[in-house]
Amino acid sequence: MSQFQFQATAIVENVQMAARIYRVRFEAPEIAAKILPGQFVMVRIANAFDPLLGRAFALYDVIADEEGNPKYVDVVYQVHGKLTTRLQQMEPGQQLEVWGPLGNGFTIPETEHLILVAGGIGQTPFLAVAKQVLGKQSYGEGEFTQKPPQKVTLCYGARSAVDLAGLKDFEATGLELKICTDDGSTGHHGLVTDLLDQAIAERIGSPQVLCCGPEKMMEAVSKLTAERDVPCQVSLETPMACGIGICFTCVAPVLQEDGSWDYKRTCVEGPIFDACQIAWEHA
Ligand code: FES
């Protein structure tokens, strides 16, 4: 199990980003100094018995203090269920318990064209990815020395224009933003896989894909990237109770070398897996 910090902390900001999507910032310098793109933290409301358990939230960003030292962690959440309903009502100064960094994080590929594919609230982990690969910010304790891609494209799908969160944050990184909505209220009227197919068809070097979103979307992206022979990592959003490998609430079916499959804990063996490792028919 990786080293993680448990921290009682106070909310610094809790702001609305889209229709039911909010960003909460809390002070957690030890976590902020170590966390990498694609890793997550568990968040629990301090002194609460309902909900008793915490929830997993992917890293959105790390914010530094005036001296440039990592100090605050931002996570993004969609109001859905008890914890996020309570969280949305909380004010700066109110207390949380957080533990992290958790999970494996993305293996950032060296590629000419990095394509990020997000559905629903799956854009969350990609701000830190884009900032890191485009040299806008570094995360964790090591130095990031990879050559930047020629192009980073974010293909981002949501139900409607009001559900798209953080577009200005993403645009500020310098990536190319491709939007689609189910209702056609903005961007392409259709599926995020349509945008992904267009991005792959640009044939910029050997593209690689990172994907996060609803399971059906990730399965479709996994199928498309396999057909196009493009490597793809997926970030699984399974429910998690402990985040540290103890409770087994977070298992996902993962293919073994002999072709059989077995359940793996996404909190410690994931949440990032190669898309071709997931036994989607058993998910
Ligand atoms: Fe408890 Fe993964 S969340 S084992």
Side-chain angles (χ1 to χ4, degrees):
M1 194 187 301
S2 62
Q3 287 292 317
F4 66 92
Q5 303 285 328
F6 181 89
Q7 206 154 355
T9 187
I11 292 175
V12 176
E13 276 184 19
N14 195 12
V15 295
Q16 188 167 20
M17 300 180 81
R20 291 169 63 77
I21 299 177
Y22 292 76
R23 173 179 59 73
V24 65
R25 175 171 301 168
F26 49 84
E27 186 176 330
E30 288 90 351
I31 297 173
K34 288 184 182 167
I35 195 162
L36 296 167
Q39 288 193 299
F40 66 94
V41 292
M42 294 294 293
V43 174
R44 184 179 173 278
I45 296 169
N47 306 314
F49 295 98
D50 187 25
L52 183 64
L53 300 174
R55 264 195 60 178
F57 296 102
L59 172 69
Y60 186 61
D61 208 359
V62 167
I63 309 297
D65 64 14
E66 285 163 7
E67 279 86 48
N69 299 312
K71 185 168 183 184
Y72 305 103
V73 173
D74 283 2
V75 299
V76 172
Y77 62 95
Q78 186 161 33
V79 178
H80 178 73
K82 272 187 190 168
L83 187 140
T84 48
T85 300
R86 283 278 311 275
L87 189 56
Q88 183 256 317
Q89 295 158 352
M90 292 176 75
E91 304 275 350
Q94 290 191 276
Q95 296 292 306
L96 299 174
E97 292 167 352
V98 299
W99 56 106
L102 300 166
N104 55 357
F106 290 106
T107 303
I108 305 289
E110 281 212 48
T111 174
E112 296 83 359
H113 192 186
L114 181 61
I115 306 173
L116 310 170
V117 184
I121 195 170
Q123 86 289 3
T124 300
F126 293 141
L127 182 67
V129 171
K131 287 174 83 169
Q132 183 160 55
V133 298
L134 292 166
K136 307 289 181 193
Q137 186 165 334
S138 63
Y139 296 84
E141 292 166 320
E143 204 182 339
F144 187 76
T145 54
Q146 283 179 211
K147 197 173 154 206
Q150 280 175 41
K151 188 172 183 181
V152 178
T153 301
L154 172 62
C155 304
Y156 179 11
R159 282 191 196 159
S160 187
V162 296
D163 299 310
L164 293 160
L167 300 186
K168 287 199 170 71
D169 294 342
F170 286 102
E171 282 167 344
T173 68
L175 57 64
E176 176 195 40
L177 186 57
K178 289 176 177 277
I179 297 287
C180 67
T181 47
D182 295 346
D183 64 3
S185 49
T186 189
H188 169 66
H189 187 186
L191 300 174
V192 76
T193 41
D194 302 338
L195 303 180
L196 170 60
D197 212 11
Q198 288 169 14
I200 293 172
E202 290 178 32
R203 296 185 179 282
I204 301 171
S206 304
Q208 298 224 20
V209 171
L210 308 181
C211 176
C212 183
E215 193 175 293
K216 284 286 164 214
M217 183 213 91
M218 290 200 288
E219 184 176 357
V221 167
S222 173
K223 188 161 173 272
L224 179 65
T225 50
E227 284 168 7
R228 302 287 186 275
D229 205 17
V230 171
C232 176
Q233 296 170 51
V234 291
S235 178
L236 299 187
E237 294 182 324
T238 52
M240 295 184 189
C242 74
I244 56 173
I246 296 168
C247 70
F248 285 76
T249 55
C250 64
V251 293
V254 175
L255 292 168
Q256 312 295 298
E257 278 181 11
D258 66 1
S260 65
W261 63 273
D262 198 2
Y263 285 116
K264 297 282 181 196
R265 292 163 300 173
T266 58
C267 68
V268 287
E269 280 124 343
I272 316 298
F273 294 91
D274 282 338
C276 59
Q277 276 185 285
I278 306 298
W280 295 105
E281 66 279 20
H282 300 292

